[in-house]
Amino acid sequence: MTAKIASIVFTPMSVTVKSDDKYDREPAENAQLRASHGIAGDRKAGHHPKRHLNIMSAERLDELSGEGFQTAPGRMGEQLILAGIDVDALQPGDRLRLGTDAIIVINEPRTGCEKFEAIQGQHPSVVQGRLGMMASVIASGTIAVGDPVSVEPVPTLQGFQ
């Protein structure tokens, strides 16, 4: 199976009051990723350089759904769901091409927060290592549900190994 974008959700700028019982994410068929920023129009974007995007794998969400977690798009706090790639196995520094032009770099595993516990009714520690990754956008581009996802080689400096 070719890896692809299965879902895109984000919190629009029009959301001014955060809900206590859900992540205020809305689905989108496509989105503009902006380098050094995140999803254009997302309230979360541009605030933390290593946390532009929360990404998870569709297969992991299926597994967590079987354990009783709410896993509809955005309910685990993720913004992008990728199918056909084990997001939890990615390492910091790995790069993913999303669609034609956008490139993201993996920064760190997601750990969950108090809001996760309020929404899911379980402490984030029960899903430690299974919440996906935090990533930064390093090359801008438009992405859409169904777009291909591929691991990009990390550039090396000439003369260095």
Side-chain angles (χ1 to χ4, degrees):
M1 176 173 133
T2 302
K4 66 181 183 176
I5 298 172
S7 171
I8 303 168
V9 300
F10 67 96
T11 304
M13 298 299 281
S14 61
V15 174
T16 57
V17 178
K18 291 182 178 183
S19 301
D20 292 332
D21 61 344
K22 67 178 179 137
Y23 294 100
D24 298 303
R25 309 247 201 265
E26 293 184 7
E29 284 300 311
N30 57 60
Q32 176 68 33
L33 295 186
R34 291 181 29 209
S36 303
H37 184 77
I39 298 174
D42 184 12
R43 288 192 62 78
K44 175 184 182 339
H47 296 291
H48 193 291
K50 293 195 174 211
R51 302 174 73 85
H52 295 162
L53 297 171
N54 304 345
I55 59 173
M56 291 187 76
S57 70
E59 296 78 8
R60 180 69 73 199
L61 287 164
D62 289 345
E63 176 186 300
L64 292 169
S65 176
E67 295 176 24
F69 288 93
Q70 299 175 47
T71 60
R75 294 296 290 173
M76 295 289 284
E78 84 291 343
Q79 294 161 294
L80 298 180
I81 299 173
L82 308 180
I85 189 165
D86 184 357
V87 172
D88 294 319
L90 295 170
Q91 299 297 310
D94 287 348
R95 295 169 179 235
L96 299 178
R97 179 175 296 273
L98 307 176
T100 305
D101 300 317
I103 300 175
I104 64 173
V105 63
I106 301 301
N107 293 317
E108 62 192 12
R110 289 183 61 222
T111 56
C113 60
E114 299 83 28
K115 190 162 192 168
F116 176 89
E117 187 169 2
I119 293 167
Q120 297 292 342
Q122 296 192 54
H123 193 272
S125 63
V126 301
V127 290
Q128 180 116 16
R130 302 186 299 160
L131 272 178
M133 295 286 174
M134 302 300 304
S136 297
V137 181
I138 59 172
S140 300
T142 300
I143 61 170
V145 172
D147 276 356
V149 175
S150 60
V151 177
E152 288 284 300
V154 176
T156 58
L157 297 174
Q158 289 286 338
F160 292 92
Q161 294 185 340

